[in-house]
Amino acid sequence: MRVVIVTESFPPDVNGVAHCALQTARHLVDRGHSPLVVAPATAAGTGPDALAPCPVVRVPSLPLPGYPQVRVALPSRRVAAAIADHRADIVHLASPFILGVRGMAAAARLGIPAVAVYQTDLAGYARTYVHAGEAAAWRRIRSVHAAADLTLAPSSAALHDLETHGVPRVKLWRRGVDTERFRPDRRDEALRRALAPNGELIVGYVGRLAPEKQVELLSGVCGLPGVRVVVVGDGPSGPQLPEALPGAVFLGRRTGDDLARIFASLDVFAHTGPFETFCQTVQEAMASGVPVVAPAAGGPLDLVAHGRTGLLVPPRDVDAVRDAVAALAADPALRTAYGAAGRATVEGRTWAAVGDQLLGHYTDVLTARRPAVAA
């Protein structure tokens, strides 16, 4: 099968869209298929894509104003040319919004089926950044995804939102997790001593430092006695957070085995953002055997079994986050039980397993597109 993955983000970017696109490309290669990736050019230019398992076509891009870590693709004929030159059987659109729209249009002109993967809560971002525009964001989402043969939603909440707002032909496709990289035995006592020299309980956040993530909700946790907050990630909110989170340790962006070591060395993982369509870091914490505190909204509703693998709290509630962490801090046996249950829950959610599910969706779309054979 020849697949073109048109993605709004790709490594070296570090985010859910980029990671999922990379894992999809890897799985296609592993199963003997021929993928090609089309993605925005990076800030450093269009040099070799060392992490990519397949060819990558880079489209000229500019940094998003106020958020330079995000690149926005410029109009380019490269998208249509790449799809045509690759002789694609199917076009995979990862979080289509700008570049993906061009990929959708090119696929339609060429008569090639398209599968759109919904990954970003644009309506939530509109509320966060401009305090308006949620209806306009949903109109954009609906118009983009309605043109696809199939839209894949990463969680039950996302699927419900898409259907409620009139997006047709939606199915569930969750994300995988690297259970070999993220695992409990990577816990590092030397790292723990460095982060919490007085033996404090370590509560970690991993992710972008941006307004929609609401990391400042950890301020109440910073006030708990015997607790050290550790923040991993970067983004536009980074300069303001040290004042909002007194005493917290900021480690910046971490990836790979280094990130896995940090995850496993936490006592509690706390996620704060209420706009997650999935929330990959929650799965990575669970794979690392760490209990989770997360908002009862979006993707975490599927991932966290309240009272078994972690605690779900009302979104945007600083006191609820603090109280949930305090409850886990006071009960080591409960933390151990939640962590073990979390690991057991995700052990079968490998990228290979969900990749094969994706191939099944591709096959269904291609079958539906084939002209009926006369009897």
Side-chain angles (χ1 to χ4, degrees), residues 34 67 119 125 128 176 188 248 284 311 325 331 356:
S34 299
Y67 201 158
Q119 289 182 253
Y125 286 15
T128 300
D188 186 326
E284 290 168 350
L311 298 173
V325 171
D331 196 334
D356 286 343

Side-chain angles (χ1 to χ4, degrees), residues 179-358:
T179 53
E180 285 299 311
R181 168 166 283 166
F182 297 97
R183 59 180 195 262
D185 65 7
R186 289 189 181 270
R187 190 174 179 89
D188 186 326
E189 293 302 326
L191 173 62
R192 288 178 52 79
R193 287 192 295 272
L195 295 174
N198 296 315
E200 297 96 334
L201 182 103
I202 301 176
V203 179
Y205 167 87
V206 178
R208 289 197 311 278
L209 308 184
E212 73 274 9
K213 299 299 184 180
Q214 301 185 4
V215 187
E216 64 277 4
L217 291 173
L218 293 174
S219 60
V221 178
C222 290
L224 291 172
V227 170
R228 175 59 54 88
V229 171
V230 173
V231 177
V232 180
D234 61 10
S237 296
Q240 294 79 44
L241 283 173
E243 183 177 356
L245 304 178
V249 177
F250 292 84
L251 298 180
R253 178 187 293 192
R254 300 297 181 93
T255 60
D257 290 343
D258 186 27
L259 178 61
R261 186 170 60 103
I262 294 169
F263 261 118
S265 299
L266 302 176
D267 295 301
V268 177
F269 177 76
H271 188 79
T272 49
F275 303 122
E276 302 296 329
T277 61
F278 185 75
C279 201
Q280 182 66 5
T281 54
V282 164
Q283 271 205 145
E284 290 168 350
M286 293 169 69
S288 304
V290 178
V292 172
V293 173
L301 290 170
D302 281 359
L303 298 174
V304 181
H306 181 74
R308 193 171 71 84
T309 65
L311 298 173
L312 293 169
V313 299
R316 308 177 188 86
D317 189 330
V318 64
D319 293 337
V321 174
R322 180 202 60 209
D323 293 347
V325 171
L328 290 171
D331 196 334
L334 190 63
R335 295 200 305 272
T336 299
Y338 283 3
R343 173 68 189 188
T345 297
V346 302
E347 280 185 329
R349 298 179 187 172
T350 64
W351 279 107
V354 300
D356 286 343
Q357 293 167 9
L358 178 64

Side-chain angles (χ1 to χ4, degrees), residues 2 14 34 58 69 87-88 111 125 134 142 165 180 183 191 195 217 254 265 287 296 298 312 330 361 363 369 372 375:
R2 304 184 68 82
V14 179
S34 299
R58 292 287 184 174
Q69 294 92 338
R87 305 189 310 279
Y125 286 15
E134 184 176 357
R142 185 167 55 247
H165 287 90
E180 285 299 311
R183 59 180 195 262
L191 173 62
L195 295 174
L217 291 173
R254 300 297 181 93
S265 299
L312 293 169
H361 289 305
T363 299
R369 276 284 194 115

